Amino acid sequence: MAKTRFFLIVSILILILIPVTNLSAESSLSSFAGVDIDFVPAKSGTPKLMLNGVFATQYNLNNNLLFRGCFGIKTDDIIENGFFQDTPSYFTINEFSAAYKLPTGLITQQIAIFMGKYESLGSDEFMQKNFSSINYASLLFSKKLSLFSEGIINYSGVGLSYSMRFSTPQALGFYFYYDKKYQYNFLNFDLRFSSAFDTVLFDIGAGIALPLETTDSNDSEVFLLIRRCDIHAGFSLLLGNNPVTNLFIQAGLQRIQIKPMPDTTNISLKDVFLFVEPRFTGNYLRCNVAFFCIPEAQVADLPFIPQPIGCDIHLASPDFMMFRSQTTVGLHAAVACGLSEEYKIKDFDIQITPYIDYSLLGGSFNLVFMFHPIQYKDMGKFFNFSLSYKAEL
């Protein structure tokens, strides 16, 4: 209910701020859809089969107004529930936004309202919108059905954004949004700066998060109380030619507590983000070597990273033609582990992931096999595969 009221407030604000203009009939509509099937064998009994789907659409009116929506659906185990029976499924709104562009001389301004994730720090989205840059983030942070890579800091919830792109390849972004995390409601204020030159791409941001409480220290109810402050910050840096040989670095802290919540510390290892990836491109092979330490909560959304701390070697062929269609084959080999509260290694894992991308009917098939060699005694953990298809409509 609070999110709904907040969304109505920012909607009214943007309507007040947008000037009345004469819109022509020029418009364009583009859409993206994808489906993913995950098959997981079981140690005993029947295997699991899950289905994921995503649909995204974008409507551009007069090159000034831009409406975007991205929606997802995920099912429970289809085999357990039966192919011809009702299977529980979950619907999510990944993004719903409306943006208005104001070109004024040497600066292009844009104001937007959004729900869901929007231009997260560290993802490709902000740079692509402002500089039309080629994807520069690591493939390790790409999800099979996502439009953009995962970010260091998620600008998510319900909010308002304002950005300025200058005549030089530089841009500023401001974000004000309301979301729920760490079991509290937060108001967030963020600032970012990005630049895109021939051999250097740079994206840096920082912000504060104010937890909203409704009871004071005496457990008496109050209308609104803010007595703590969190800080988050991060940056992405690409040195070299994109997309050939280069060095990609990301680092950040998702949470620094100025006045810690009860039973918590100012900084936790679980909130540290550090990623270094040198990339090499030859005539017959591409090789990326990544070293990472990422928050544990993000691992579940990243198929090529099995644990928060480790390294990954990614080998991939250049694009080649197979049956008259563009094809790429590759392999991820990751060694990773977690750390306990006593900083002892836990959940050590090795993950080998061969894959193939195949262009067909205006879209792309992606087939991934995932092996965990040291867990060979448990078939459910040793092996699984997924098949996905995504296309622009």
Side-chain angles (χ1 to χ4, degrees):
M1 194 65 182
K3 284 188 177 182
T4 303
R5 290 197 298 267
F6 187 84
F7 185 72
L8 289 175
I9 292 172
V10 296
S11 298
I12 294 171
L13 284 174
I14 194 171
L15 289 174
I16 294 173
L17 293 172
I18 291 177
V20 177
T21 58
N22 294 322
L23 298 178
S24 70
E26 296 180 4
S27 64
S28 62
L29 177 67
S30 58
S31 299
F32 163 89
V35 63
D36 171 58
I37 300 173
D38 290 315
F39 180 83
V40 182
K43 184 176 182 180
S44 60
T46 58
K48 294 182 179 180
L49 183 68
M50 283 82 70
L51 180 69
N52 301 316
V54 66
F55 175 77
T57 186
Q58 175 176 289
Y59 181 68
N60 192 341
L61 179 61
N62 196 41
N63 203 31
N64 292 106
L65 279 171
L66 181 66
F67 300 93
R68 295 181 56 181
C70 182
F71 313 95
I73 187 169
K74 183 177 182 179
T75 71
D76 282 347
D77 184 7
I78 297 175
I79 295 178
E80 180 181 1
N81 291 277
F83 284 94
F84 304 104
Q85 304 295 327
D86 292 334
T87 299
S89 59
Y90 311 92
F91 174 79
T92 58
I93 300 177
N94 300 322
E95 179 190 340
F96 185 75
S97 63
Y100 181 78
K101 186 179 294 185
L102 303 91
T104 55
L106 299 178
I107 298 177
T108 299
Q109 304 173 67
Q110 180 175 281
I111 187 169
I113 54 175
F114 63 87
M115 297 178 67
K117 290 183 181 180
Y118 187 75
E119 297 182 351
S120 296
L121 179 66
S123 74
D124 299 310
E125 185 173 0
F126 187 74
M127 300 286 277
Q128 284 190 9
K129 285 181 178 179
N130 287 281
F131 309 119
S132 300
S133 60
I134 300 173
N135 289 355
Y136 69 95
S138 174
L139 292 176
L140 291 180
F141 300 116
S142 297
K143 298 168 68 175
K144 287 174 286 189
L145 299 181
S146 64
L147 292 171
F148 303 102
S149 59
E150 290 292 298
I152 305 172
I153 308 295
N154 287 326
Y155 303 147
S156 61
V158 180
L160 174 72
S161 79
Y162 172 74
S163 63
M164 295 185 296
R165 187 187 68 204
F166 305 99
S167 56
T168 56
Q170 297 173 326
L172 277 174
F174 303 87
Y175 303 86
F176 169 60
Y177 54 100
Y178 167 94
D179 67 347
K180 186 173 182 178
K181 52 191 176 184
Y182 310 115
Q183 300 179 345
Y184 281 87
N185 296 319
F186 282 82
L187 277 181
N188 302 266
F189 303 86
D190 284 80
L191 170 67
R192 80 190 301 172
F193 171 76
S194 299
S195 62
F197 296 96
D198 291 339
T199 57
V200 178
L201 293 176
F202 189 63
D203 185 19
I204 185 171
I208 60 172
L210 305 174
L212 308 179
E213 302 180 57
T214 56
T215 57
D216 58 20
S217 56
N218 298 319
D219 291 330
S220 299
E221 290 190 4
V222 296
F223 176 72
L224 182 63
L225 178 63
I226 299 176
R227 52 181 173 179
R228 295 181 173 88
C229 176
D230 292 358
I231 297 175
H232 48 259
F235 74 89
S236 299
L237 175 64
L238 182 75
L239 299 174
N241 294 314
N242 188 31
V244 292
T245 301
N246 56 61
L247 174 64
F248 180 64
I249 301 173
Q250 284 188 311
L253 281 169
Q254 294 189 341
R255 190 186 194 192
I256 304 174
Q257 297 189 75
I258 302 302
K259 186 178 179 182
M261 295 288 188
D263 302 321
T264 60
T265 59
N266 293 82
I267 301 177
S268 171
L269 182 64
K270 296 180 179 179
D271 299 317
V272 174
F273 192 109
L274 180 61
F275 185 84
V276 179
E277 184 180 56
R279 304 166 179 171
F280 308 95
T281 301
N283 293 331
Y284 305 103
L285 186 69
R286 290 180 290 141
C287 177
N288 301 341
V289 182
F291 304 90
F292 54 84
C293 174
I294 65 173
E296 188 174 348
Q298 289 187 260
V299 172
D301 294 327
L302 303 174
F304 301 119
I305 297 181
Q307 294 294 335
I309 302 172
C311 64
D312 176 85
I313 298 177
H314 177 206
L315 304 175
S317 70
D319 294 341
F320 63 94
M321 300 301 293
M322 183 172 69
F323 303 117
R324 299 183 179 180
S325 293
Q326 186 170 287
T327 307
T328 303
V329 295
L331 173 75
H332 284 274
V335 178
C337 67
L339 286 182
S340 66
E341 294 181 359
E342 295 79 22
Y343 297 99
K344 295 182 180 180
I345 293 177
K346 66 173 185 178
D347 301 326
F348 178 79
D349 197 4
I350 297 174
Q351 180 175 286
I352 309 297
T353 314
Y355 69 88
I356 180 170
D357 289 323
Y358 185 76
S359 299
L360 183 66
L361 301 176
S364 175
F365 272 108
N366 175 255
L367 179 61
V368 176
F369 293 89
M370 192 170 292
F371 301 91
H372 298 263
I374 64 175
Q375 302 186 40
Y376 64 92
K377 293 182 179 180
D378 187 344
M379 183 58 67
K381 296 179 180 179
F382 171 67
F383 164 75
N384 65 77
F385 76 87
S386 67
L387 175 65
S388 63
Y389 180 77
K390 55 185 179 182
E392 293 186 5
L393 307 178

